[in-house]
Amino acid sequence: MKNQPSVVLNNGVEMPLLGLGLFRITNENGGFSQCIHDALEEGYRFFDTAEYYENEKDLGEALASSGLHREEYFVTTKLTNDNIKLHDTRNAFFRQLERLKMDYIDLYLIHWPVKGYEQAWVEMEKLYEEKRIRAIGISNGEEGHLNRLWECSGIVPAVDQVEMHPYKAQLKLRKICAERGIVAEAYGPFMQGELLSDSLIGEIARKYHKSPAQIILRWFFQQKIPVIPKTVTRERMMQNRNAMDFVLEEVDMEILHSLNKEQGSFPSPYEVI
Ligand SMILES: NC(=O)c1ccc[n+]([C@@H]2O[C@H](COP(=O)([O-])OP(=O)(O)OC[C@H]3O[C@@H](n4cnc5c(N)ncnc54)[C@H](OP(=O)(O)O)[C@@H]3O)[C@@H](O)[C@H]2O)c1
């Protein structure tokens, strides 16, 4: 993927630093096809979906008709909790491929480590070995889950996608991931918008003549953390991408680090059963 700042995963696969999050966007509620069209025009080549988001089919159609070659975009999708619990990983994966009109997935994640996730992981490993998935990982994995996968698996997860933003910096988990060669990826970077009214972030935004969203995204990029903000607004897609193009001084990075209280808005994975 040319011109996309990226990180290299533990198996050599390149993953762009900025993707578009697609939770709560469907053609029924918000012009999904237009959203993908706008994102592609704004240079986005990385899309984060899940079976649970009910937009895989629309994403597949939009990408298939985009004129891009398959290797020009990066798609993450996730195995739902129900399919994990039903031990239906392999069938679920092929249904997802069909909906997405693809013959492989770039990054396939366990959506939540619910009961049965270790068995799901073994099935995902097979799909990886069969080259149907370029990289496998987990979402909402905490230290205990990473330990379990570590014990029962031949393949170290490439990614742990977790809620992360200046109020929940995930310092402990990031350290564990770094030690094991797992990339910690951030979801919910704006806390669904709530963080954008933080007064200190607002002050930094005024100093750089940027928006609060750009300051938050820059905080991620400077730490080389992949991030997937959701927006259906073309102007915001552009704004979010332009957060690649400036540098925060260390003193402002420190202010952003100081906001951390390790508190977010999503449930603990131990509450999701
Ligand atoms: N693995 C998991 O369990 C999990 C859980 C949650 C989310 N995710 C992934 O992470 C993605 C992002 O998280 P999220 O959807 O929870 O929320 P988010 O990205 O933290 O926030 C999205 C909100 O911010 C607004 N926004 C985006 N850019 C903006 C800008 N430049 N200025 C002002 N407002 C802006 C959006 O508004 P508009 O859309 O109206 O522009 C929307 O209301 C999801 O879409 C999904 O792909 C994964």
Side-chain angles (χ1 to χ4, degrees), residues 23 48 139-140 161 190 192 230-233 236 239-240:
F23 186 28
D48 181 88
S139 176
N140 301 296
Q161 184 189 102
F190 307 140
Q192 298 80 51
K230 172 259 172 188
T231 179
V232 291
T233 317
R236 290 176 175 174
Q239 210 189 89
N240 294 351

Side-chain angles (χ1 to χ4, degrees), residues 56-57 60 92-103 105:
E56 288 178 316
K57 188 164 178 288
F93 174 79
F94 280 103
R95 288 194 297 269
Q96 288 178 277
L97 268 192
E98 195 177 329
R99 279 196 295 273
L100 284 160
K101 298 193 190 328
M102 291 171 192
D103 50 19
I105 299 297

Side-chain angles (χ1 to χ4, degrees), residues 79 84 87 89 110 116-125:
L79 179 64
I84 296 171
H87 301 292
T89 302
I110 287 174
Y117 75 96
E118 299 97 330
Q119 291 95 321
W121 185 256
V122 173
E123 292 303 311
M124 286 166 61
E125 285 188 337

